[in-house]
Amino acid sequence: MLVRKAIEVSGIVQGVGFRPYIYRLAGERQLAGSICNTAAGVSIEVQGPPGAVDDFLSRLPAEAPPLARITAITVREIPCNGAIDFRIVTTHHGQPVSTLISPDVAVCADCLREMFDLADRRYRYPFINCTNCGPRFTLVCNIPYDRSFTSMAAFRMCPTCQAEYDDPRNRRFHAQPNACWTCGPQVELWDLEGKPVEVADPIAETVTRLQRGDVVAIKGLGGFHLACDAPNAVAVSTLRERKRRVEKPFAVMVPDIDAAQRFCELDEAARGLLVSPQRPIVLLRRREGTPIADEVAPFNRYLGVFLPYTPLHHLLFAEGRFTALVMTSANMSEEPICIANDEAVRRLQTLADCFLVHNRDILLRCDDSVIRVSGARARQLRRSRGFVPVPVFLSEDVPSILAVGGELKNTICLTKGRHAFLSQHIGDLENAESYSFFEEAIEHLQRILEIRPVAIAYDLHPNYFSTRWALAQSGLPQIGVQHHHAHIASCMAENHLDGRVIGIALDGTGYGADGRIWGGEVLLADYNSFERAAHLAYVPMPGGEAAIREPWRMAVAYLVRHFGCEFVRRLPALSNIPRQKLDVLFRMMEQGINSPLTSSCGRLFDAVAALAGIRHHVNYEAQAAVELEMAIGNSSDESAYPFELVAKAEDWIIGTRGLFDALLRDLSRDVQIGDISRRFHNGLVEALADVAKRLRERSGLERVCLSGGTFQNVYLCERLCDRLGNDNFQVFSQSEVPAGDGGLSLGQALVAVHKIR
Ligand code: ZN
Ligand code: ZN
Ligand code: FE
């Protein structure tokens, strides 16, 4: 007796070797039938003895190719026919195909084995790939995902490659970037004028130059890296000076997982991330006494580490000449990553000593992703290469929205059906190059995802470039979304929540509904609307933007508010600030000149960091807060600085007088910075838990969502999650989507979805 079943598989199942996989799986069980691509995924029919068909069905999801991502499988019984073999039915142009494109992933073990096999025809070929690995997203200019719509269209396959491509039993069946030494892309070493350097082996020459301390711009998957030898302090300092990047840490690429283990503390979760096909940069606590130069990550206890992910990276490390290479996005600070060869020569001339380029074009830039592990959870700090364009899966079908994100760490989001596509990291829009990338990404993603939005969502800040862009688009409804409401909606969407929640949104800056700078907010929110139920008390930011770069100004602002000018003048902790500067600040605040009011949590961290003696000036965003968190020692001190809760009408204001009182007392008793930092964090957790409980009494809500850039602080996030959990709240935080402004566009999109309904 035979049975025949029709199986629909949806998710990322095209361009990832799914059809040959099914062909093999059916063949091994002597099942007849067929497979073809459809708009939602693939459609399969199998026919054979019931036992064999059941076995096929149970193995199908379990053994799927590594790049496949199955979201649903439906099976129904259909009448048998006379079929005797299994066939792959190829898609013809014009037929609907899935718009889910695989992200770029690391070269697989099979390809690496071939690349280092002297007898293989692709021995040392830097562009080796197969259906299980290699570039995807960054090569695609249109859909369907087919070679003619990728930057591989310029390369005509040789007969041997073509035979692999056409053979369903070959692991390069329909591998669109398939290539070899004869027919595919090649590398060249270029000098600063963009002229090829005559050398037999450009990669070997690159290794030599890196070893002698040069900075080399190396073309990768989603853009160029600037590389130098990580133990070489002179080379690293040179790179810092040229890039004008004073202290912000550089990421390092290490040859293998053992090296990562030698340099950093690794747990299972971190290990899994490092070797995953996505190969993100993972932030890890560094060990003492590594050979990596201090200049790589000054004042930082963490190191951003990643493993080689392109064949070219593996070739650079192959001879074992490097313990670690600095690999940082090739750009001036905060500009977008550089992708084209001529663009590299133009933009990187003052940064690099030479260029290792190739002629496979990158069609869309995509930075490395950055992840931090907290508890057993991976939390995205920058979601880019390896993850984009895998959608965030939503709990229901939604209309198509374009959400344009915030200003810093911008991403955009496009929704379609049950999918929310967050773009790769775009960057800080105040910079002209990033702004063009922003426009380019909107256009490109709409095309390859086939999305025509019916509305645009934007941040309420009138001066954000993304806001101005959105308001300049005519013909579509425009929906403004408050910054912290968007943060909470982002957390809700990621966790498939609906209805109303208590939302704790903590960050540096977001435009408030009252025109002030918000950032320490507790909301009662659903997708449609929110109520600001509690917030940190307002303080002035003397000097506006300058107060962000100089945390000591926030210390002064808080102390003047609580204890007056005379007290601040006599305070030992601020004695190294010139008296004149203090007087200017006092006057600014007194007369309200350039001193906008803020409830920002980031600025509160700045004030505490400055008083604790961590730093008075920052060289990159949130540096003082990051260093304050890192200062927390291993003590088991459970004490907490007190915050005051003051009722104001229906709402609560979170006051900080008790906190600063206790902090100054600790300073005068020479309490260690580690304990001061811990007590501050503990105090903030207690205050927020207290607010949550009062809001539960008032509203009956038991679900709490945590979002905003401050929750990238692992100590705060974990401790608050635990604390609220102990109080019987259901706590939700972000992990797949960044809690910072990189995740903002997702929340904007979901708010807009509900507002246009
Ligand atoms: Zn491979
Ligand atoms: Zn070939
Ligand atoms: Fe924010």
Side-chain angles (χ1 to χ4, degrees), residues 437-457:
F437 177 24
F438 165 79
E439 292 189 300
E440 189 182 294
I442 290 175
E443 198 261 332
H444 192 105
L445 291 174
Q446 286 187 32
R447 184 171 62 242
I448 63 169
L449 301 170
E450 283 196 306
I451 294 178
R452 262 173 284 282
V454 297
I456 302 181

Side-chain angles (χ1 to χ4, degrees), residues 483-484 487 506-510 708-709 739-741 744:
H483 191 96
H484 302 96
H487 273 310
L506 306 179
D507 64 5
T509 304
D741 285 4
L744 206 60

Side-chain angles (χ1 to χ4, degrees), residues 1-5 25-33 46-58 77 80-81 83-84:
M1 199 200 68
L2 297 179
V3 291
R4 186 176 184 87
K5 301 227 163 143
L25 204 63
E28 283 165 6
R29 284 157 194 80
Q30 273 126 36
L31 300 176
V46 282
Q47 173 172 318
V53 170
D54 286 346
D55 185 50
F56 173 89
L57 283 171
S58 70
E77 188 135 1
C80 288
N81 63 22
I84 46 162

